Structures are given as C-alpha cells and as structure tokens.
Amino acid sequence: MKLAHCHSRELLSRINGQILISSKKQRETGCVNDAILRAVKEGIFEFVFDILKTNPDLVWSHDEKSTNIFSVAVQHRRAKIFNLIYGLDTKNSLASGRDDFYGNNLLHMAGMPAPSTSLDHIPGAALQMQRELQWFKEVESIVPPRVLGKLNDEDLTPRQLFTKNHKDMMGKGEKWMKDTASSCTVVGALIITIMFAAAFTVPGGNDQNNGFPIFLNKKLFMVFIVSDALSLFSSTTSVLMFLGILTSRYEEEDFLESLPRKMIIGLSAIFFSIAAMMTAFSTALILMLHEQSWVFKPIIFLASIPIALFVLMQFPLLVEMVISTYGPSIFDRKMKRQF
C-alpha cells in the first residue's frame, strides 16, 4: 500500500507538470476539471491540494452546472478541502458565487442534505443535526451578508432550504433525544429513591438510647454518608437535566448547543451518581461484614457488573457529544495561504 501510494504521488506530480504547460482546451479534453471535482466529492485531499498548489488558477474549476470546488466540498461535507478557502485572497468571490443551473449559492449548498456516508460515523440523529447546523453556521460566517437573503430557483433562501431539507432529521433527532432522556430519567429516579432510603437506614442501625448511628465514629461510615449524599444530589441534577430535554421547544438552534449541553450534564451527573452509589454500597458491606471478606468481596464485584455495562454503553456517547460540542472544530479558520 505504501509503494502504491508513492507511485500515485509520483504519477500525480507528472500530471501536474503536464497540466502546467497545457492549454485551456487541452485541459477540457483531458477532463481536468472533472477529475478535481471527483476528488473533492471523494474527499481526496492530497490530490486536490497538489493540483491547486501547482496550478492555482484551477481553484476556479467547475462543472457543467457552474458548481465550483468549494460548493462541491460543502455539499459533500468535505471539511479538510473546504478549509482551503480560508487561505485564499479570492474567498469572497468564491463564497458569493452563484450556481447558474439551480440558482444556488454556497450557503444554499450548506442547506442541502448531507450524503449519508458523511454522517455514518456520527452516532444519533441529534448529533447529526448538530453537525449539519455547524456546517451551515460556518458557511454563513464567510459569505457576504447579501447572500443570506438570496433566493434560488425554488424561491427559497438558504435558511428556508436548510429547514425544508432537514425537517425529517430534526424529527428523528427530537425522538432520539427524548428516548435517551426518558431512559436515563428512569435510572436517575431509581437512584434517588435508593439513596434517599439508604440515608435513613444506615448500616448497623441506630443506638436505641440517643438515636445516633452505631458506626458514627468509624471513618468508613463517613465515606458511606458522603457517597450517599453525592449520589443523591447528582442523580437529582441528572433528572432535572433530562426533564429539561423532555420539555424543550426543539427549535433548530437548540440542537447546536442547548440540547447537547443538557445531555452532557445529565449523563455526567448520572455517571457520577452511579459511581457514588457503588462506593456507598461497598462501604456499607464492609462495615457490616468487615470480618467476612470472602462474602462481601464477590458481592461487590458482581454488583459492579451491571453498573459497568451501563457506563460502557453510554460513556462513548458522552465522549462523542463533548467532542462534537466543545472539542476542536473541524474548520480551520487559521489556515495559512498555501497557493
């Protein structure tokens, strides 16, 4: 594979040399524009970058619909190729260009539905909707203000086109959010019930003379009480966050940050409450069976299995949501001029 890659780069280098000395008619005959646009659609960054670096004028390449390479990059959600536009002096001209065939501009392209292949790696319709909004907002930030209200041949502005094409995805995202929040609300409510009851049925019971817990002076008992309280408070927080998701308006803008933020807080709180609950459970067993380690050790291990399974199933979703919402952007606005 490495050898094939080296041969491909060498072949591309020779092609670039031929393109450099060829005429416009020879480039048309050789389907140079078609090759560049095909590479953009497939997301082959090396091919596009090397071609444009050797022949900067090819940045204006377009197909029979007058769609330029950056319109194709937006339509097919190729962020790495789209980032090249930040290093161009002609950014405004390219961003405000008009597709003569459909009357769409670059922002209209961002309003079109993304190919399924570009969203397959994103879990959940809500995060897919968030990524589509991120694309639209990014393109909106670089186009001239006059482009925002431009109508295409369907008499739709870019925003109207986005809403029309993403109505189904938004509905799926709402259902996904509500289903996830409902399931986690049940778990959070159960933890609240258990931890609230555990606070008044402490291990070892209470002294009949003064009502204080028998193990009050033991360090492990304080660990139990603190863990129980933390689990109760965090699970209550998670339930409130999930209720906020269930009662949300579910506007388009909510999918960009508001809903993901509530889901991140809710999942983080419920993970913390589960960990605190296991700590309280373990300390309670140790307090009551401190001389019977052969009994409480296997019980603690077995009790941790379902909790670990829940974390394993939901933790990747939390990580993905944090990265998508607060992680590094897929867009590189600090791209230096390359050609």
Side-chain angles (χ1 to χ4, degrees):
M1 289 179 68
K2 289 182 179 180
L3 183 62
H5 183 261
C6 290
H7 288 169
S8 299
R9 293 301 299 267
E10 178 63 25
L11 177 60
L12 180 59
S13 177
R14 298 189 182 190
I15 290 173
N16 281 333
Q18 291 299 314
I19 293 175
L20 196 60
I21 61 175
S22 63
S23 64
K24 184 177 180 181
K25 185 175 181 180
Q26 287 174 323
R27 293 179 184 182
E28 292 177 357
T29 305
C31 300
V32 174
N33 288 352
D34 292 340
I36 295 173
L37 292 173
R38 174 70 182 277
V40 174
K41 290 178 183 178
E42 300 295 333
I44 308 174
F45 176 78
E46 285 180 310
F47 184 94
V48 177
F49 180 78
D50 286 356
I51 288 279
L52 297 183
K53 189 173 183 180
T54 307
N55 307 273
D57 58 308
L58 289 177
V59 74
W60 298 98
S61 300
H62 57 82
D63 57 14
E64 66 279 1
K65 301 174 185 176
S66 298
T67 307
N68 63 48
I69 62 174
F70 293 107
S71 292
V72 176
V74 171
Q75 187 176 0
H76 291 268
R77 306 302 191 256
R78 303 300 182 186
K80 197 171 182 181
I81 296 174
F82 175 76
N83 286 338
L84 292 173
I85 199 172
Y86 294 110
L88 298 176
D89 294 333
T90 56
K91 179 176 68 174
N92 289 338
S93 298
L94 288 165
S96 59
R98 181 178 174 86
D99 185 328
D100 296 332
F101 194 82
Y102 295 109
N104 293 318
N105 54 46
L106 191 65
L107 194 55
H108 278 109
M109 293 298 184
M112 292 181 178
S116 58
T117 52
S118 67
L119 297 176
D120 287 342
H121 67 285
I122 302 176
L127 289 183
Q128 292 176 358
M129 184 66 185
Q130 182 192 47
R131 178 55 55 85
E132 288 291 271
L133 281 165
Q134 288 172 344
W135 265 100
F136 189 85
K137 290 291 185 182
E138 188 64 26
V139 176
E140 187 179 47
S141 69
I142 68 169
V143 299
R146 66 177 184 276
V147 172
L148 304 181
K150 288 286 185 180
L151 301 177
N152 63 3
D153 290 350
E154 296 179 356
D155 291 330
L156 295 174
T157 64
R159 189 72 197 200
Q160 290 170 340
L161 184 65
F162 181 91
T163 301
K164 175 186 175 183
N165 288 328
H166 292 83
K167 187 178 295 184
D168 185 55
M169 181 181 289
M170 195 168 75
K172 290 180 180 178
E174 179 179 348
K175 183 178 183 302
W176 181 85
M177 273 282 186
K178 286 184 175 180
D179 289 346
T180 305
S182 297
S183 301
C184 292
T185 300
V186 173
V187 176
L190 287 173
I191 295 174
I192 292 173
T193 304
I194 294 169
M195 292 296 99
F196 188 83
F200 298 99
T201 55
V202 295
N206 298 323
D207 191 318
Q208 297 298 323
N209 296 322
N210 54 28
F212 290 111
I214 293 175
F215 295 134
L216 181 62
N217 296 321
K218 291 185 176 293
K219 292 182 179 179
L220 278 177
F221 182 79
M222 296 308 297
V223 174
F224 167 80
I225 289 296
V226 171
S227 299
D228 183 274
L230 290 176
S231 180
L232 179 63
F233 298 152
S234 57
S235 57
T236 303
T237 301
S238 71
V239 169
L240 291 175
M241 287 296 105
F242 293 131
L243 286 176
I245 292 174
L246 293 173
T247 57
S248 177
R249 301 173 304 161
Y250 286 94
E251 299 290 338
E252 282 182 1
E253 297 297 326
D254 293 339
F255 285 91
L256 190 61
E257 189 171 337
S258 175
L259 288 172
R261 181 174 61 246
K262 290 176 182 177
M263 183 64 77
I264 290 170
I265 296 173
L267 288 175
S268 300
I270 202 168
F271 289 152
F272 183 79
S273 70
I274 289 172
M277 180 179 67
M278 283 306 303
T279 303
F281 174 74
S282 300
T283 53
L285 282 183
I286 295 171
L287 280 169
M288 294 187 295
L289 304 172
H290 62 281
E291 295 180 356
Q292 305 292 330
S293 61
W294 64 273
V295 175
F296 69 76
K297 286 183 179 180
I299 293 176
I300 292 173
F301 174 75
L302 292 174
S304 65
I305 292 177
I307 307 300
L309 289 175
F310 178 81
V311 172
L312 287 174
M313 288 187 293
Q314 297 295 334
F315 191 72
L317 171 63
L318 175 62
V319 172
E320 186 71 29
M321 197 167 289
V322 170
I323 293 174
S324 179
T325 307
Y326 299 108
S329 174
I330 60 174
F331 305 105
D332 185 10
R333 296 184 180 182
K334 297 180 180 180
M335 172 71 71
K336 296 180 180 179
R337 182 171 180 175
Q338 303 292 338
F339 39 81

